[in-house]
């Protein structure tokens, strides 16, 4: 069975400090990994996906298959990064595309 | 572009009562999802529709939950009878097939259910 674990429920940093949100997964096939974000009073939305290898709002995430991790990183956190972050996994094959398995989420607070 | 619409936003009911949630996806999105998010947990997929057919309902508690998408557009999720553990936010999401394949789902604001 596929599983996504985010070990930190809460993470606090100061503005300008580096931030890393941890995500580990277990999956026997070929997974696709994502980070979703929910800002205060906004909808859950896609932040980035590993397959795109892109940097969004200064965030990057590298899929490490050896460690089964997909940590989200930003070198200099900003106050507007404060939000709930969810790591999610999708089966890369099969008919259940779009079926996302989410982690428990990490609340990031960036202090001024 | 209008987003995914859900109603009601909030609902409080007694246990053993019934409740229904409505979702209107983004125009043209063939795939519709219902997720359940219990406080402190990530969203969990309950059911996925492709047009008006069910793709995946493996995690839907079918003894009390039902969902339909009769015309392949909007959808209704019903709980009857409700239990205390059904207290959660029910999120509706939609995607085009292409977006679904890339994992990009568009979520509604959610319907928060409290069962007393």
């Amino acid at each position: 069975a596929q599983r996504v674990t985010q070990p930190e429920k809460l993470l606090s940093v100061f503005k300008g400090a580096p931030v890393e949100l941890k995500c580990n997964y277990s999956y026997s096939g070929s997974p696709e990994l994502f980070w979703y974000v929910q800002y205060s009073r906004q909808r859950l939305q896609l932040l980035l996906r590993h397959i795109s290898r892109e940097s969004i709002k200064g965030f990057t995430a590298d899929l490490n298959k050896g460690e089964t991790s997909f940590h989200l990183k930003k070198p200099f956190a900003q106050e507007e990064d404060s939000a709930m972050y969810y790591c999610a996994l999708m089966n890369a094959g099969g008919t259940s595309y779009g079926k996302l398995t989410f982690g428990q989420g990490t609340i990031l607070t960036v202090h001024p | 572009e209008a987003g995914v619409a859900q109603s009601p936003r909030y609902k409080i009911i007694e246990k053993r009562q019934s409740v229904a949630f409505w979702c209107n996806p983004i125009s043209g999105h063939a795939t519709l999802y219902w997720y359940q998010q219990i406080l402190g947990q990530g969203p969990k997929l309950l059911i996925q529709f492709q047009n008006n057919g069910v793709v995946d309902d493996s995690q839907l508690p079918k003894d009390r939950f039902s969902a339909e998408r009769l015309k392949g557009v909007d959808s209704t999720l019903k709980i009857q009878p409700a239990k205390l553990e059904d207290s959660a936010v029910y999120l509706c999401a939609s995607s085009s097939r292409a977006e679904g394949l890339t994992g990009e789902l568009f979520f509604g604001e959610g319907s928060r259910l409290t069962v007393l």
Side-chain angles (χ1 to χ4, degrees):
Chain A
Q2 55 199 53
R3 186 180 181 88
V4 177
T5 302
Q6 294 178 249
E8 303 141 328
K9 277 190 176 285
L10 302 169
L11 185 61
S12 290
V13 300
F14 286 99
K15 177 182 173 181
V19 63
E20 180 180 68
L21 289 84
K22 291 183 169 48
C23 172
N24 291 92
Y25 68 91
S26 61
Y27 185 66
S28 57
S30 179
E32 291 189 30
L33 276 297
F34 309 86
W35 279 97
Y36 272 75
V37 62
Q38 188 167 22
Y39 301 102
S40 180
R41 298 189 186 87
Q42 294 188 30
R43 302 166 188 227
L44 188 60
Q45 59 187 288
L46 177 66
L47 179 63
L48 57 78
R49 61 196 121 207
H50 91 269
I51 202 166
S52 299
R53 294 186 167 274
E54 56 199 346
S55 173
I56 303 292
K57 299 183 178 182
F59 284 98
T60 59
D62 291 320
L63 178 61
N64 186 323
K65 291 187 177 180
E67 296 183 357
T68 60
S69 68
F70 187 58
H71 303 327
L72 183 68
K73 301 177 184 179
K74 185 169 183 177
F76 307 103
Q78 303 299 314
E79 290 178 70
E80 55 265 31
D81 296 328
S82 296
M84 172 72 94
Y85 291 81
Y86 293 98
C87 183
L89 176 154
M90 184 175 79
N91 182 352
T95 57
S96 292
Y97 58 86
K99 179 179 179 179
L100 296 172
T101 298
F102 286 89
Q104 305 94 313
T106 297
I107 299 173
L108 173 65
T109 303
V110 182
H111 300 284
Chain B
E1 173 181 270
V4 175
Q6 290 188 246
S7 68
R9 292 291 315 280
Y10 305 93
K11 188 75 175 179
I12 301 173
I13 61 173
E14 302 273 337
K15 60 183 179 184
R16 291 187 289 274
Q17 286 186 322
S18 63
V19 63
F21 301 112
W22 173 83
C23 172
N24 190 39
I26 291 173
S27 177
H29 278 186
T31 311
L32 185 148
Y33 316 78
W34 282 102
Y35 280 82
Q36 179 192 55
Q37 185 171 21
I38 293 171
L39 186 65
Q41 300 180 21
K44 182 184 81 172
L45 180 70
L46 291 177
I47 188 166
Q48 176 182 348
F49 292 94
Q50 175 71 17
N51 296 309
N52 61 351
V54 175
V55 174
D56 189 331
D57 64 356
S58 57
Q59 298 191 91
L60 186 74
K62 299 180 185 63
D63 57 334
R64 298 182 300 104
F65 286 65
S66 64
E68 59 184 15
R69 194 184 183 199
L70 293 175
K71 296 183 179 178
V73 180
D74 54 351
S75 175
T76 303
L77 176 71
K78 296 180 181 177
I79 308 173
Q80 181 179 14
K83 292 186 174 181
L84 296 177
E85 58 261 37
D86 298 332
S87 294
V89 176
Y90 291 87
L91 294 167
C92 180
S94 70
S95 71
S96 66
R97 176 177 168 82
E99 289 157 342
L101 286 169
T102 62
E104 182 166 16
L105 276 56
F106 295 86
F107 284 86
E109 293 179 298
S111 294
R112 183 179 296 276
L113 173 66
T114 301
V115 183
L116 303 175

